[in-house]
């Protein structure tokens, strides 16, 4: 089977469509907000909980894809924030998180389905990561002041 045919089958398989499942990083955004407000362990816990929920509700493939993408993106965002502190923008952290999330899911998919053909959609997912990472950063910037106030005691 040719690699393009394998990729077509994998991206439109019973496991779900890889390219059409791009939801814009809603949970990633929530994890980043959590890491800002409550720290890395809470954000990582949220990523793991989402992976376990996907496993329970949608099966092994979805669970592994969710867990791999979520944990890796949370780790890279934490590392970037920790290493570069104030020298890196929220937008850049979010874009890296989105791209690493997609790469983590492709890694899990290539291991699950034993093919490298899934990597053929990586250019689309890099562009998607840049777009949605930027949008997510904007949304976090807009909502963070309001969410920060929720934790304040009056």
């Amino acid at each position: 089977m040719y690699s393009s045919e394998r990729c077509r089958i994998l991206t439109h398989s019973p496991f779900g469509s890889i390219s059409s499942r791009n939801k814009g990083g809603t949970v990633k955004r929530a994890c980043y907000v959590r890491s800002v407000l409550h720290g890395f362990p809470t954000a990582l816990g949220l990523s793991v909980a989402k992976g376990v929920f996907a496993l329970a509700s949608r099966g092994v493939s979805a669970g592994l894809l969710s867990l791999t993408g979520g944990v890796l993106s949370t780790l890279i965002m934490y590392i970037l924030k920790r290493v570069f502190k104030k020298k890196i923008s929220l937008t850049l952290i979010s874009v890296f998180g989105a791209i690493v999330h997609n790469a983590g899911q492709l890694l899990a998919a290539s291991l699950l389905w034993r093919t490298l053909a899934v990597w053929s959609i990586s250019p689309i997912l890099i562009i998607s990561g840049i777009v949605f990472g930027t949008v997510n950063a904007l949304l976090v910037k807009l909502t963070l002041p309001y969410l920060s106030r929720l934790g304040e005691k009056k």
Side-chain angles (χ1 to χ4, degrees):
M1 186 179 308
Y2 297 105
S3 63
S4 62
E5 179 66 14
R6 275 189 180 168
C7 189
R8 187 189 64 73
I9 289 169
L10 289 175
T11 58
H12 300 287
S13 71
F15 302 112
S17 171
I18 294 171
S19 59
S20 69
R21 298 252 176 178
N22 194 330
K23 298 178 196 128
T26 307
V27 172
K28 183 178 66 65
R29 184 171 47 256
C31 288
Y32 185 76
V33 169
R34 280 289 194 199
S35 72
V36 170
L37 295 177
H38 302 289
F40 173 70
T42 303
L44 188 60
L46 187 59
S47 292
V48 171
K50 187 203 179 278
V52 170
F53 178 76
L55 175 71
S57 63
R58 296 191 318 258
V60 174
S61 296
L64 290 175
L65 292 174
S66 178
L67 189 64
T68 306
V71 168
L72 288 177
S73 72
T74 301
L75 284 171
I76 194 67
M77 288 189 293
Y78 172 75
I79 290 167
L80 287 172
K81 186 179 167 206
R82 181 126 176 142
V83 169
F84 294 104
K85 298 183 185 359
K86 304 278 184 190
K87 297 176 187 172
I88 190 168
S89 71
L90 173 64
T91 303
L92 200 53
I93 290 172
S94 184
V95 166
F96 271 101
I99 292 170
V100 169
H101 184 277
N102 291 339
Q105 288 189 329
L106 287 176
L107 175 65
S110 66
L111 293 173
L112 276 170
W113 298 315
R114 295 183 182 95
T115 181
L116 297 176
V118 296
W119 289 95
S120 66
I121 63 171
S122 61
I124 295 166
L125 293 179
I126 290 170
I127 293 167
S128 170
I130 293 168
V131 170
F132 285 115
T134 303
V135 169
N136 283 336
L138 176 64
L139 292 173
V140 168
K141 286 178 188 176
L142 291 173
T143 58
L144 197 56
Y146 300 103
L147 294 173
S148 295
R149 284 190 237 154
L150 292 175
E152 294 175 5
K153 294 183 180 179
K154 296 185 180 195

